[in-house]
Amino acid sequence: MGYVPDQELRVAATNELHVGPKVQVPVQVGPRPNVLVRFLARRPCLVMVLSLLFALGLSAVGMIVGEFEISADNDGWNSRNTPVADKQAQDSARLNLWARLNGEEEDYRRRRHLLQESSHEFNAHGDQAFHGENHLLSLYKGKGKDFNLLNMQSLKEVCEYEAEVFRVQEESDVCRRARDDESWPIIAGECFHPISFVTLIREDLILKKYTHLNYPGKKPWFTCDTLFSEYTATWLGELVELYVSEAKVGPSVIPEHYFASLTGKDIVNDGRHSTNLLRTVFPMREGSLDAVYALHKSGKLKGNGDYSFDLAYDVGDAELTDLLIDDVLSEDMIMACAATAIILFLIWFHTRSVFMAFVGVIQVALSFPSAYFAYKLLLGFSFFPFLNFLAMFVVMGIGADDIFVLFDKFEQAAQSMPGASAYDLACVAIPQASYAMLLTSLTTAGAFFSTAITPVAPIRMFAVFLGMMTVFDYLFVIIICAPALVLQIRWVQAIKAKGAHVGRYFKLSLLDFSQACSRKDKKHKKETMTQKILVQCAKGTTALRYFLVPGLLALFIYFTLVSLDIPMPQTSEVQLFPDNHIFTKWTKWKNDLYVGDGEETSWVRVIFGLKPGDTGNENDPTSKSKIILDPTFDITQPAVQTWMLEFCQDIKQQTFTTDRGDCFMDGFDQWLKGRYNPATSKYDLSLPLPSDQFNYWFLEWRSQRDHRRKHIGIASEIERSYHPESGQGAPPPPGQEQVEFLVMNIEATVKWNDPYNKLKSQFYEWSEYIDKKRLEAPQGTSDSFFFISEDFHWWDTNRQMKNSAYLSALLSVAMATVIIFVSNGNVLLTLYSVISIFCILVTVAATTVAMGWSLGFLEAICFAILVGLSCDFIVHIAHAYKESKEETRREKTLDAIWAMGPPVLYAAVSTSLAGALLFNCTILFYTKFGAVLLFTMAYSFLMIFVFLAPLLVLAGPVGNFMNAYALFYTKKEEEKPDQAKAPEAEAT
């Protein structure tokens, strides 16, 4: 039997559907398929073996030569190569320069991670002995909004919790022990006791009852029962009054080392002097992070009582979060294995073949290392974030979809060509399946690649890698799964031809379970049960088209309005764990602590002498920028000195700054006034200095304070940092040095965790002020001096993520529009498809709004990437509608459902189940991604039946109506009669 043209197969298959008049269609021999399809159909075993060797070779080269390594340090979650990011790059570059000079680790600045942590340092009244160190920090929040924890019973429970954790600390040797030179009320070598409001009560009890006693070496440590049996509620009220008064003005009676954000901020805002939040600081020894993390995993830090408060704790360093992320990431990857098992089962269930299920999973698995080959060795990307593993979940669903399409095309060919050989079936089915899969693969990969416009490296790399996996998945379905399916048909036909024997049923059970279970040779059904059910569902929904189409359009307009009103995040923090996670509770509650003046506020740097820019690789967070000097900067000029001194005084008077900061110029001027001037033999030095004297005095002042060196860059140190071999000799005298850059530190009135819009407002206030000052500045000040803060950089990251999510979504829809139009050429069919895709997106978005989500950049990632997935089902149905040879809208729509409904159904089920598995993950991004994946699959499938199918039956294009290719077809048809008349004329 020869090749059957596509249109003959379509008509023959439709006749069995009974949706139109039955027409007897003879099997005709049409145009031969291309040479590659014929070769694959004749030599499937050779093609599959060579393809497997090719894929395995790519995988081996990629993983070995490419030195496969996952970057799990959670770095790079900042925008790069944006105007704000370029400023931050220069600020980081000058800090890295200082770090290299001092032999410290680079990236000296406080690093931003996905799960942002504050410094957890004590406030302005806090103890400097513990400043900047890591400690276990516990928070207690009353069960009830107005529950006051400053009562005797709750404080006793806090005391009991502290005693239990302190005991665990001592046993595990993670507590900080006193040194011989530390004047604390304990003996050297013993563990420091917790610092909390309970500690204040102990101190107060000693002052009130035991001041007449002498304590050699250390003070007594009362048990909780003793403490709260001797301490009275009256004394507690007096202590609270004292604490509130000193919290506002600074400690004078209460010891400073106990004054460290012990209560919530409501204690000073509430006239009742009550608080719903308390904190305890458990001092830890240096290097005990792993041991504390082990205690966390064992549950020993949660106490052993039923408390009247909720508990949360953390360690004041982001490294603990990194340890947790590494742990849960490994656990979450187990979900990928479970998803593989489910996909394996569904492929077997649909194809009835263990062999095809195994081949399908193999081709999906091989797409990962093959994509890594292209990613690392061809494209040259070295950074491979842990987020890339999420691609396995997505491509499993895409790969299963392609296998279902491929299998159903063979099934439909077999239904219309009973008794056809494997070669004939392949010549019909493979071109059709390849084209159908090409359309969806292009739209999906295009959506993924469009997300690469984001300036955040992990997201960009994830989008590129996911797009590459989609491309390789499509390729491997064609060159591995297609020949495997041809082989299976050959083997089944050969086994059946040999007659019954013992091994027949076992072999058939691996190749076609339904054939093995049948007592006689089973012929292909004209119509499967799945097709019957889906067609009946379509008949039911299309009958309601006059109600469904207008009603759903109105509903989708409402969903659009809801989607446009999706709220922005209230803080710049990015939540990685669920709301009930102990670290998430800490991150949220700590913002309600009374922190005093200065803690967690934003410090803005105003930088002179450097140009914004980033010389590093934007796709690799480990590639840092070098400093870019501004040659126009000359601080030695008297006019520049005067202007900068006035600038220091003026900027502290602005509404968006406080009066605190280090401008250096005003401090330098005060220092000068106390210096002896050899030229006049008087103490009369002050700014401005003569140009030839400035460097000498300025660098002399710089050398007296070590912290000034990283804020004032000089030429010799810059040269020595980048070229260590050039710095072997003695440094030049101060008078011959040159100041290359100067950094001023000004305290702003916002905190890094303030709402998005508040950070935005203050950023633009700073921008307006600096732009104005830049116009007023004299020549030599620096043509490009700028301001920057890590907090503004983090705000810029959220802004860029939001903008790039919208833009990538528009690009994805635009690419889908082009691909759909090119594939069918019909303007109206393209319009209906794009409307359906848009309705899917707004429905998913409206659902997430109803669930209380905000448009953080985790959600933006999900929406941008899943645009591609929302296109697949619509593209399949639109293409099948266009290819249908039926005459009426209803028959064409039902024919499209009959042809593509089953693979779409099984693809929706497999992808939804893979997404549902993500619900068991710990990392919130995975669970949210799974939710959006599930919503997208469900809504995409429903949209076909409740909107697109009724819309096509109501007003779908028929014939050449709105077909852009119709003019070409008409012209071609008009040429045929003329060509036919020519031979007749010659004969006459």
Side-chain angles (χ1 to χ4, degrees):
M1 177 177 258
Y3 169 68
V4 180
D6 180 40
Q7 70 177 52
E8 302 299 340
L9 172 62
R10 177 72 63 178
V11 173
T14 306
N15 287 337
E16 303 298 334
L17 184 61
H18 302 293
V19 294
K22 289 188 177 181
V23 179
Q24 185 63 36
V25 179
V27 177
Q28 302 177 2
V29 177
R32 300 176 69 190
N34 64 58
V35 63
L36 295 178
V37 174
R38 297 202 308 272
F39 181 78
L40 187 154
R42 286 197 178 99
R43 301 286 186 271
C45 186
L46 178 62
V47 172
M48 187 177 73
V49 171
L50 292 177
S51 300
L52 284 172
L53 291 175
F54 167 72
L56 289 171
L58 282 185
S59 302
V61 172
M63 305 298 274
I64 297 173
V65 178
E67 299 178 345
F68 179 74
E69 182 181 4
I70 306 169
S71 178
D73 63 353
N74 201 23
D75 200 5
W77 293 91
N78 291 307
S79 57
R80 290 189 75 168
N81 279 0
T82 67
V84 176
D86 285 346
K87 297 174 183 179
Q88 181 61 54
Q90 287 303 296
D91 187 38
S92 299
R94 58 101 186 174
L95 291 174
N96 289 336
L97 181 149
W98 170 253
R100 285 193 299 272
L101 287 174
N102 291 272
E104 299 172 354
E105 182 182 357
E106 288 195 30
D107 203 6
Y108 185 81
R109 66 184 176 84
R110 182 181 53 171
R111 294 163 60 188
R112 292 286 189 183
H113 296 272
L114 252 182
L115 184 64
Q116 177 62 47
E117 298 295 342
S118 68
S119 63
H120 298 311
E121 295 171 352
F122 294 172
N123 62 10
H125 310 317
D127 167 48
Q128 299 304 310
F130 286 166
H131 188 77
E133 298 181 4
N134 297 337
H135 303 296
L136 178 64
L137 308 168
S138 295
L139 286 179
Y140 321 100
K141 193 174 185 66
K143 295 180 179 179
K145 183 177 180 181
D146 298 324
F147 187 85
N148 180 22
L149 288 176
L150 295 178
N151 65 77
M152 298 292 284
Q153 179 59 37
S154 296
L155 289 170
K156 184 178 180 181
E157 292 177 3
V158 171
C159 177
E160 291 169 348
Y161 170 79
E162 292 176 354
E164 175 62 21
V165 173
F166 182 70
R167 181 188 64 79
V168 171
Q169 276 189 303
E170 283 191 306
E171 291 178 353
S172 306
D173 193 28
V174 299
C175 58
R176 181 182 171 185
R177 300 183 182 276
R179 299 189 302 266
D180 292 337
D181 59 341
E182 289 181 312
S183 57
W184 283 76
I186 61 175
I187 297 175
E190 291 191 356
C191 291
F192 284 118
H193 290 294
I195 302 174
S196 68
F197 205 91
V198 174
T199 315
L200 290 180
I201 293 176
R202 283 194 173 94
E203 289 286 327
D204 195 38
L205 179 61
I206 292 174
L207 291 174
K208 284 183 166 58
K209 295 188 66 173
Y210 299 99
T211 52
H212 62 285
L213 300 179
N214 183 24
Y215 303 107
K218 68 173 185 178
K219 295 180 181 180
W221 187 259
F222 304 104
T223 65
C224 296
D225 290 335
T226 302
L227 179 63
F228 285 94
S229 63
E230 296 191 24
Y231 202 72
T232 67
T234 302
W235 291 349
L236 176 60
E238 295 173 354
L239 180 62
V240 171
E241 293 289 339
L242 179 63
Y243 180 88
V244 171
S245 64
E246 298 206 353
K248 297 178 179 179
V249 300
S252 58
V253 178
I254 297 177
E256 286 193 7
H257 52 268
Y258 294 141
F259 210 101
S261 303
L262 303 181
T263 69
K265 64 180 66 173
D266 52 350
I267 197 169
V268 295
N269 298 331
D270 188 348
R272 298 178 300 160
H273 295 167
S274 63
T275 183
N276 189 244
L277 187 65
L278 293 175
R279 178 169 86 159
T280 300
V281 179
F282 295 92
M284 289 167 40
R285 66 173 174 82
E286 188 175 353
S288 62
L289 189 64
D290 290 335
V292 173
Y293 183 64
L295 293 175
H296 159 69
K297 292 183 63 177
S298 68
K300 293 181 179 180
L301 299 181
K302 295 182 179 180
N304 54 11
D306 183 16
Y307 306 119
S308 61
F309 50 78
D310 290 326
L311 173 67
Y313 56 79
D314 198 357
V315 172
D317 196 294
E319 292 181 17
L320 183 60
T321 300
D322 287 341
L323 290 176
L324 178 62
I325 290 174
D326 292 344
D327 243 11
V328 298
L329 180 62
S330 302
E331 296 171 1
D332 289 351
M333 283 303 102
I334 298 176
M335 294 298 104
C337 300
T340 302
I342 288 181
I343 296 297
L344 182 69
F345 171 78
L346 288 173
I347 295 176
W348 168 82
F349 184 80
H350 186 64
T351 64
R352 307 176 300 276
S353 170
V354 174
F355 173 69
M356 283 307 301
F358 177 75
V359 172
V361 172
I362 288 295
Q363 69 88 15
V364 172
L366 286 174
S367 66
F368 186 94
S370 299
Y372 184 77
F373 169 85
Y375 176 91
K376 182 68 178 288
L377 300 182
L378 298 184
L379 300 180
F381 297 127
S382 58
F383 177 59
F384 193 81
F386 73 88
L387 189 64
N388 284 8
F389 269 109
L390 188 65
M392 284 298 296
F393 292 103
V394 181
V395 176
M396 279 180 188
I398 296 173
D401 179 21
D402 290 342
I403 292 172
F404 296 147
V405 171
L406 177 68
F407 181 80
D408 278 32
K409 289 297 182 182
F410 271 85
E411 285 279 283
Q412 292 166 21
Q415 291 171 11
S416 301
M417 301 164 58
S421 67
Y423 173 83
D424 291 326
L425 294 177
C427 288
V428 173
I430 291 178
Q432 294 180 19
S434 300
Y435 185 64
M437 291 186 294
L438 177 64
L439 296 179
T440 56
S441 297
L442 286 176
T443 54
T444 304
F448 295 152
F449 285 131
S450 68
T451 308
I453 63 175
T454 177
V456 180
I459 307 303
R460 181 190 293 120
M461 295 299 95
F462 171 57
V464 171
F465 184 74
L466 188 51
M468 295 303 302
M469 279 197 69
T470 304
V471 172
F472 276 98
D473 174 77
Y474 170 74
L475 175 64
F476 290 163
V477 168
I478 301 299
I479 67 176
I480 295 177
C481 290
L485 190 53
V486 176
L487 272 177
Q488 174 177 290
I489 296 173
R490 281 188 177 183
W491 292 338
V492 169
Q493 291 176 344
I495 292 172
K496 290 165 63 177
K498 292 180 180 179
H501 56 80
V502 176
R504 176 185 182 222
Y505 295 104
F506 174 73
K507 294 177 181 179
L508 281 178
S509 66
L510 298 178
L511 299 175
D512 191 333
F513 186 76
S514 62
Q515 295 277 1
C517 294
S518 176
R519 294 188 176 182
K520 58 182 180 178
D521 289 346
K522 187 176 180 180
K523 296 182 180 180
H524 285 282
K525 295 180 179 179
K526 297 299 183 180
E527 188 175 9
T528 66
M529 181 60 66
T530 304
Q531 287 172 319
K532 290 180 180 179
I533 294 174
L534 293 178
V535 169
Q536 289 301 318
C537 290
K539 287 180 178 179
T541 56
T542 54
L544 300 174
R545 58 190 177 276
Y546 295 106
F547 303 98
L548 285 176
V549 173
L552 288 176
L553 280 175
L555 184 63
F556 293 145
I557 292 174
Y558 171 73
F559 286 165
T560 302
L561 297 177
V562 172
S563 302
L564 292 175
D565 198 32
I566 185 170
M568 292 299 297
Q570 290 301 306
T571 73
S572 298
E573 298 177 78
V574 180
Q575 184 177 333
L576 267 189
F577 302 107
D579 289 338
N580 61 352
H581 195 279
I582 201 160
F583 292 155
T584 302
K585 290 192 289 187
W586 162 261
T587 304
K588 292 183 176 181
W589 295 354
K590 66 182 175 58
N591 297 328
D592 295 326
L593 284 171
Y594 177 71
V595 296
D597 296 330
E599 186 177 340
E600 293 183 347
T601 53
S602 177
W603 288 87
V604 180
R605 275 85 66 192
V606 182
I607 302 178
F608 299 85
L610 298 179
K611 287 185 175 181
D614 190 344
T615 63
N617 181 359
E618 63 177 328
N619 296 320
D620 185 0
T622 63
S623 175
K624 308 300 180 181
S625 176
K626 294 183 177 180
I627 62 173
I628 305 174
L629 296 175
D630 183 356
T632 66
F633 180 59
D634 185 6
I635 196 174
T636 63
Q637 297 182 28
V640 174
Q641 299 173 40
T642 302
W643 182 88
M644 293 185 74
L645 182 61
E646 294 173 351
F647 176 84
C648 283
Q649 298 166 352
D650 182 67
I651 196 170
K652 294 180 182 180
Q653 306 301 318
Q654 303 304 311
T655 57
F656 49 83
T657 65
T658 69
D659 59 355
R660 301 199 312 170
D662 196 347
C663 274
F664 293 116
M665 293 304 290
D666 51 1
F668 175 53
D669 187 49
Q670 293 297 322
W671 178 84
L672 276 177
K673 294 176 180 178
R675 301 299 99 185
Y676 177 76
N677 187 354
T680 62
S681 299
K682 298 179 180 179
Y683 292 88
D684 58 355
L685 289 173
S686 64
L687 291 177
L689 291 171
S691 297
D692 57 348
Q693 297 182 24
F694 180 84
N695 280 338
Y696 174 82
W697 289 107
F698 193 64
L699 296 180
E700 177 69 19
W701 170 76
R702 174 184 182 267
S703 65
Q704 296 182 10
R705 292 291 186 274
D706 191 60
H707 77 279
R708 296 171 184 164
R709 297 177 61 192
K710 63 185 175 185
H711 301 301
I712 302 170
I714 59 178
S716 63
E717 291 183 349
I718 296 173
E719 178 68 18
R720 191 164 71 253
S721 174
Y722 289 120
H723 305 285
E725 68 281 357
S726 66
Q728 300 301 322
Q736 298 179 19
E737 276 283 16
Q738 181 177 350
V739 177
E740 297 288 0
F741 65 80
L742 173 67
V743 181
M744 300 180 179
N745 291 283
I746 309 296
E747 185 184 36
T749 56
V750 292
K751 299 187 297 184
W752 68 267
N753 51 10
D754 270 335
Y756 175 91
N757 288 330
K758 187 173 182 180
L759 285 169
K760 174 183 177 181
S761 175
Q762 182 144 134
F763 174 82
Y764 284 114
E765 285 185 276
W766 273 91
S767 297
E768 183 179 355
Y769 177 80
I770 293 298
D771 290 343
K772 177 183 176 182
K773 286 297 181 181
R774 191 180 291 117
L775 295 175
E776 300 173 354
Q779 186 175 4
T781 304
S782 178
D783 291 344
S784 54
F785 75 89
F786 57 90
F787 74 95
I788 189 58
S789 164
E790 290 179 7
D791 310 319
F792 291 148
H793 186 204
W794 189 241
W795 164 79
D796 179 66
T797 299
N798 281 271
R799 177 181 63 164
Q800 296 296 334
M801 280 302 310
K802 180 187 71 171
N803 294 340
S804 61
Y806 290 147
L807 182 57
S808 62
L810 290 175
L811 289 175
S812 300
V813 173
M815 282 189 284
T817 303
V818 172
I819 292 169
I820 294 172
F821 176 75
V822 171
S823 68
N824 60 59
N826 192 287
V827 176
L828 194 60
L829 188 57
T830 301
L831 177 63
Y832 291 167
S833 301
V834 173
I835 291 175
S836 299
I837 293 171
F838 178 78
C839 292
I840 294 170
L841 295 178
V842 298
T843 305
V844 173
T847 302
T848 59
V849 172
M851 294 174 64
W853 291 12
S854 60
L855 188 59
F857 80 85
L858 293 184
E859 294 81 4
I861 297 167
C862 297
F863 293 147
I865 292 174
L866 290 172
V867 171
L869 297 181
S870 66
C871 301
D872 285 5
F873 298 169
I874 302 300
V875 171
H876 279 316
I877 299 301
H879 175 65
Y881 182 91
K882 180 258 181 184
E883 291 295 315
S884 175
K885 302 306 177 182
E886 295 295 336
E887 299 296 331
T888 66
R889 298 188 182 99
R890 181 176 181 274
E891 291 169 348
K892 288 171 72 70
T893 302
L894 296 179
D895 188 23
I897 298 294
W898 180 88
M900 294 306 300
V904 164
L905 171 63
Y906 282 98
V909 172
S910 62
T911 308
S912 297
L913 288 177
L917 280 175
L918 295 177
F919 291 164
N920 295 320
C921 294
T922 303
I923 295 179
L924 193 60
F925 173 70
Y926 287 168
T927 59
K928 286 194 172 184
F929 189 89
V932 177
L933 191 66
L934 180 61
F935 295 152
T936 303
M937 292 297 102
Y939 293 150
S940 297
F941 185 75
L942 289 175
M943 197 66 64
I944 293 172
F945 290 89
V946 302
F947 183 72
L948 181 60
L951 182 60
L952 290 174
V953 174
L954 182 65
V958 178
N960 289 329
F961 180 71
M962 298 296 286
N963 192 335
Y965 298 148
L967 180 62
F968 172 77
Y969 292 146
T970 303
K971 184 177 180 180
K972 193 171 182 180
E973 293 295 328
E974 289 174 352
E975 290 175 355
K976 288 183 179 180
D978 296 336
Q979 294 173 357
K981 291 177 182 178
E984 295 176 4
E986 291 178 3
T988 303

